[in-house]
Amino acid sequence: MNIPSNAAATPADCLRIVLVGTQHPGNIGAAARAMKTMGLSRLVLVAPEKVPDGDTRAMAAGADDLVDAAPVLPTLAEAVADCHWVLGATARSRRVQLEELHPRAAAQRAVAAATNAPVALVFGRERTGLTNEELQLCHAAVHIPSDPAFSSLNLAAAVQVLSYELRCALLGGAVADSGTRTPPPGEGVAAHAELEGFFGQLAETLEQIDFHKGRAPESAMRKLRRLYLRANLDSAEVRLLRGVLADAQRMARLAGEATGNGKIG
Ligand code: SAH
């Protein structure tokens, strides 16, 4: 989908809220209001069961402009085709084989990724959420840590909570938050590509030092990703870790040469 974009787009302009198959038009309005209070404006509707109506307007309470501007598309694939990062909001934890992020970490990554490319936050239907096929189109999942015995928030309430986290991430250092470390001056939270570069080198290194010993590498990598994402690394820290890995790789190469093990290198 071609969302109008221009070179001067702010990160908030790059953050897209996508509502899939919404059943109650009132929720579309309430979601728009939730977004607007948090400075977000890009709403996209995918195959809503009913088109926006009087209930939508009543619940939007002044955020009708977002609803009026919202493109309506037939499929999620079309709604996120131009997005570089797609995050699926799920009411049930660990429902899919996707990396699952806490709202705060998810918002920080979304904002970091939205500095130069569209990013989508996708919400499912009130009754059934997102289908597995729709979740497959997401790069990661975000779950609001609600009570597992009653975990499903109202759609617009979920949009509110996650829009609030996006706003805090957008405000960055201006927010005093004991739960989030502010990066040192001059260093921003590492971008998606920097982290992926690090994870790639980490996977390579684990292979070279024979860490897995025949076990499938996916499980360890998933846990390590989770661990490092929790640390909210900045760019300098990613460079430091990559330096450590580079040395480990050099030692592994030397050891391989010494033992004539052709596998290493
Ligand atoms: N019965 C559905 C709940 C849908 S609620 C189910 O079990 O999947 C509608 C949407 O709100 C969900 O698809 C999800 O996008 C969002 N949502 C509700 N509760 C959430 C939570 N705890 N964390 C993240 N998103 C949530």
Side-chain angles (χ1 to χ4, degrees), residues 101-233:
L101 300 173
H102 182 276
R104 198 142 304 166
Q108 276 161 355
R109 271 176 66 178
V111 166
T115 49
N116 45 22
V119 164
L121 188 44
V122 182
F123 294 83
R125 299 157 190 81
E126 291 89 333
R127 265 195 303 279
T128 52
L130 294 165
T131 64
N132 284 336
E133 291 70 31
E134 286 159 351
L135 279 165
Q136 296 299 320
L137 295 172
C138 299
H139 298 146
V142 57
H143 173 70
I144 299 162
S146 43
D147 186 335
F150 195 69
S151 67
S152 178
L153 277 73
N154 161 265
L155 170 61
V159 172
Q160 184 74 76
V161 170
L162 293 175
S163 296
Y164 167 72
E165 290 293 350
L166 289 171
R167 179 153 183 86
C168 290
L170 284 165
L171 293 173
V175 180
D177 180 350
S178 58
T180 307
R181 183 180 58 79
T182 307
E187 290 288 354
V189 172
H192 188 239
E194 287 175 89
L195 286 170
E196 288 308 315
F198 164 65
F199 287 133
Q201 190 180 354
L202 180 60
E204 203 177 275
T205 309
L206 294 181
E207 201 63 52
Q208 287 166 344
I209 64 174
D210 193 24
F211 174 77
H212 304 297
K213 303 190 180 49
R215 294 181 301 259
E218 289 78 17
S219 160
M221 273 312 293
R222 241 192 330 268
K223 288 176 191 154
L224 287 164
R225 282 182 80 99
R226 206 167 280 192
L227 185 158
Y228 283 111
L229 288 171
R230 203 164 62 224
N232 188 23
L233 300 168

